[in-house]
Amino acid sequence: MNLNRAYQWCALWLALLGVASFAVAAEQTSAGPPLVLVWALPALCTGWYLSAARSFVLPRAAVNALLIGAVAYAALQALSGLDVNRFAELVIFLLIIKVGDRRTPRDDGQIIALSVFLAIAAMLTGNSLLVGLILAAFLPLLVATVMLFQLQAGWLRVQRHTPSVAPAEPPKWASLAVPGLGRLLRRTVAAATFGTLLFSFLVFVILPRGVGENFMGTFGRVVAAGSRTGFTDRVSLGDRGLISESQEVVFTVELRQESGENLGTPDGVHYLRGAVLDSYDEKGTWYAGRRGHTPVPTGPRELAVPIDRSEGPIIEQIIRVPNAPRGEHPALPIFALWKPVSIEIPRRGHIRLFRDQQVHVMESTGDPGPLIYRVHSAVAPPPGAPRDQRPPASIDLP
């Protein structure tokens, strides 16, 4: 086995897989093709051929100028927000520049580290099957590349300190044939990869889910490749795909009686109503028709908006929404115990009251930040009051 040739191919493929994994993962968050593959992979292969086969390296002044340009471009991109994609683009620029600056084994070690950063960026960006397959091939290749790098760097270090070697400065990457090295390397890589996977599986099983999930906010939040469980205003019947669980908090509720006593208990169950899907289309999708609504304005002060007559015991609900919709007149379903009689929302906008569906939607004028509103509900009809009769539902099927 030729040590230098094996290392060169492994390191090149490691860098290519690192760039490809991020490009495929980034495609999940955009509608266009992975443009990174169009320019990054050819530039990487060209630079590697020139540095490995032709021993061509960029002048130090050119390397410094390219590094300054890459950092300046990344700084301009970060002005509009810092995320994984912008960080990975900077890593790709640095990787291509370092390929043209391979003067010592230390430069090759930095290339390996940058390739690992791109693989981590792919994990934080996408979770599709193709990304998983690329990363599955990346792991054993990384183990093999690191082992070959250590052997090659150690051999060069010995050659530099051997007095009998002429000339005094040996080639940057010399060829070294080692009998039996390939078989031993394959066994070691297989054992190391299996041990890493086993340890990762044990950590995944032992650690509870959701620990540190929102530690970095939206930075590194993976976009789901399929459906996610949670609240939605549209339900499509018969859809298939990967289903993942969302741990994001929609809102929290505090329940109190008229006297101020807290009704929250670990075993207490309260059903909140906030959205009714009453329309059905030919594609098998249920959605909210939102017909016959009455707009009621709200203001920055907590003013009670009357909804219905107050009959029966009143329960106050204090609902805290951590991430209320923003933008141009965003709509927010108002959840409440049945039957709400008044609503207090300290946000400028208006409430749409849908009498047919008995649901209420808040439309804000774009005030940022979390939202806290109060709802008073009559939870039981008074004795002798007639119960609401629900008309029979019918669906016209072809």
Side-chain angles (χ1 to χ4, degrees), residues 9 70 127 191 194 197 203 277 369 398:
W9 280 109
N127 56 0
F194 177 78
L197 293 176
V203 172
L277 308 182

Side-chain angles (χ1 to χ4, degrees), residues 167-186:
E169 288 293 333
K172 182 181 61 172
W173 290 115
S175 298
L176 176 63
V178 180
L181 178 61
R183 182 174 61 256
L184 180 61
L185 181 67
R186 287 191 293 269

